[in-house]
Amino acid sequence: MAVRVELKPDWARIIFSEAVDGITSADFHYFWLRHNCPCLNGCRHQTTHERLIDASVIPLNIQPLRVETTTTDSDEPAVTVFWAPIATKNNTGELELPREKEHASVFSVDWLRNNAYATNREQTHDLPPHDANLVTIDYQELADKYGDTANSTLTNTKLTADGAARYKALLFDKLSQYGVAVIRNRGSDTEDIIYDFIDPSADVIPTHFGRIEHLRTDNTENANNDQLGYTNSPVRLHTDLCYAESVPGFQFLHCIRPADVGGDNYFVHAESAANYLKTEVSRRAYDLLTTVPVRFDRKQNKFQALHVSPILRLGDTPDPATNEHRLEQVRYSYFTQGAQTSVPFSELREWYEALQVWDKLLYRDDFQIKANLEAGDVVIYDNLKVLHARNGFTGARHMAGVYLNSSDLWPHLRQAKEQTVTTEA
């Protein structure tokens, strides 16, 4: 029976040319394939054919070098997976790296079908978006085409009504699909930029830091600036204000001055990452992160707030199509995460393992959108569904940070989108 192989980031799909017992495809984790290698060259005993390789030596993130459709020694259809060598235990129990350049695991198609543990899987999820080009808008390109020269200044280029509607329709599309938008060459007026996203009758969300945060090391404008954002230290992936009962739906950062070295921003679409965790990596980790409460405790010299919630909060009503509860909000902030005291002693390690699985996913390059902001650039992101971070830096980096209500942003951008669709119809 002929097969076709599709390689995914963490597993392989074998597609059978003929359905047997209703099985048309089967998915296999790479670590499972490596553990079940049938070779007699270190994985199985040459006489008894019993397993020799120990599961503990196989990295759970192992990846194949390549996969080919081949035949077995008896000319049966087969799939051969080639691996980089891994250290295995020798006769004294010590790890020893074999001298082979690569290791071949030859699986007969019949064996794969008979041992398939995930057949005809429909509910799968792709990697989160990680191409910065997908989320980027060049404001200068719009200004060149739709600039309102009569109302523009040296520091603030205005668009015509049609141009502004097209710009906001682009914002609607990027934020709806990816949860983040990077706007290049927007300008230097933070106050004017606010109304790219909301109606002039609305306003920003003030916090205990102030109306607009000036994120720089020499900050004197904001209250309660005794926190990481006002230092030059790296700030790892997080969502903002996890300790608040009501969390702002959006934040934008306006680059006033980039760092001399470092300070690059990066983002992860956490909703997509959570779905990937659920169906592609570890349903158990997902279940723990959606049910176990976490204390988010902000303690500063003149401010304190506490909120308790799972890292991944699900909605109350299940999706009729899948009967799964949809993710409504991600609260993830390592620097305000309090001591975990709600898990029994015998279960605490399991919760930490789930947290580590989640964290390691987020720091994969194929999960992150990376953006180096220059002066005049803006990035806006969904604070309920997107994690943000920055690298450490040197120099006088200055970002203006502004929080917005989702209930102000979405109607404003949706109206522009509908206006553009109507115009083009």
Side-chain angles (χ1 to χ4, degrees), residues 117 161 168 177 195 204 212 219 256 261 270 281 304 333 358 411:
Y117 58 91
K168 293 177 183 183
Q177 188 167 0
Y195 301 103
V204 308
I212 296 177
N219 176 282
I256 308 300
V261 178
V281 179
Q304 181 171 358
S333 171
W358 167 247

Side-chain angles (χ1 to χ4, degrees), residues 215-218 228-235 257-264 390-399:
L215 299 164
R216 59 187 185 192
T217 57
D218 60 348
L228 280 173
Y230 297 96
T231 73
N232 64 356
S233 296
V235 183
R257 175 176 173 173
D260 295 339
V261 178
D264 294 353
R390 69 145 196 251
N391 293 326
F393 64 90
T394 58
R397 182 182 190 266
H398 180 187
M399 295 280 174

Side-chain angles (χ1 to χ4, degrees), residues 2 22 26 109 112 163 174 177 189 255 275 279 313 394 397 415:
V109 170
L112 288 171
K174 303 295 186 188
Q177 188 167 0
D189 189 339
C255 181
N275 287 331
T279 63
R313 182 172 65 81
T394 58
R397 182 182 190 266
Q415 182 181 27

Side-chain angles (χ1 to χ4, degrees), residues 152-167:
S152 296
T153 66
L154 290 176
T155 59
N156 184 23
T157 302
K158 292 286 189 179
L159 301 177
T160 63
D162 180 43
R166 292 175 183 273
Y167 166 52

Side-chain angles (χ1 to χ4, degrees), residues 72-114:
T72 65
D73 291 340
S74 56
D75 287 334
E76 295 178 75
V79 174
T80 299
V81 186
F82 296 89
W83 315 92
I86 60 173
T88 56
K89 294 179 181 178
N90 61 21
N91 291 337
T92 62
E94 297 176 336
L95 288 175
E96 188 175 81
L97 193 66
R99 295 181 180 179
E100 61 188 0
K101 291 184 178 180
E102 60 183 21
H103 189 91
S105 302
V106 183
F107 301 97
S108 76
V109 170
D110 283 345
W111 187 92
L112 288 171
R113 187 183 64 247
N114 292 335

Side-chain angles (χ1 to χ4, degrees), residues 253-367:
L253 295 173
H254 177 209
C255 181
I256 308 300
R257 175 176 173 173
D260 295 339
V261 178
D264 294 353
N265 293 91
Y266 53 103
F267 308 87
V268 172
H269 194 274
E271 181 179 27
S272 298
N275 287 331
Y276 192 87
L277 173 71
K278 177 175 65 174
T279 63
E280 315 306 303
V281 179
S282 173
R283 178 61 193 242
R284 178 58 180 159
Y286 177 86
D287 288 343
L288 287 168
L289 296 180
T290 56
T291 56
V292 175
V294 174
R295 292 167 52 89
F296 294 102
D297 193 357
R298 165 62 83 187
K299 292 182 179 179
Q300 296 179 261
N301 290 334
K302 297 181 180 180
F303 178 84
Q304 181 171 358
L306 171 68
H307 185 81
V308 180
S309 170
I311 289 172
L312 306 176
R313 182 172 65 81
L314 303 180
D316 297 328
T317 305
D319 183 340
T322 63
N323 204 34
E324 294 273 356
H325 290 258
R326 291 179 177 174
L327 182 68
E328 284 199 348
Q329 181 182 358
V330 179
R331 288 183 188 255
Y332 195 54
S333 171
Y334 67 98
F335 50 86
T336 60
Q337 182 178 321
Q340 178 56 272
T341 59
S342 63
V343 180
F345 184 90
S346 61
E347 300 173 16
L348 186 59
R349 182 187 178 98
E350 185 180 31
W351 183 81
Y352 266 94
E353 288 171 346
L355 190 62
Q356 288 185 355
V357 169
W358 167 247
D359 203 51
K360 287 176 181 177
L361 278 182
L362 301 178
Y363 284 91
R364 283 172 38 166
D365 284 341
D366 54 4
F367 270 58

Side-chain angles (χ1 to χ4, degrees), residues 137-174:
I137 300 169
D138 191 332
Y139 190 86
Q140 186 58 53
E141 288 184 1
L142 291 167
D144 290 343
K145 191 171 183 180
Y146 302 104
D148 181 1
T149 55
N151 293 302
S152 296
T153 66
L154 290 176
T155 59
N156 184 23
T157 302
K158 292 286 189 179
L159 301 177
T160 63
D162 180 43
R166 292 175 183 273
Y167 166 52
K168 293 177 183 183
L170 284 173
L171 286 170
F172 179 87
D173 290 341
K174 303 295 186 188

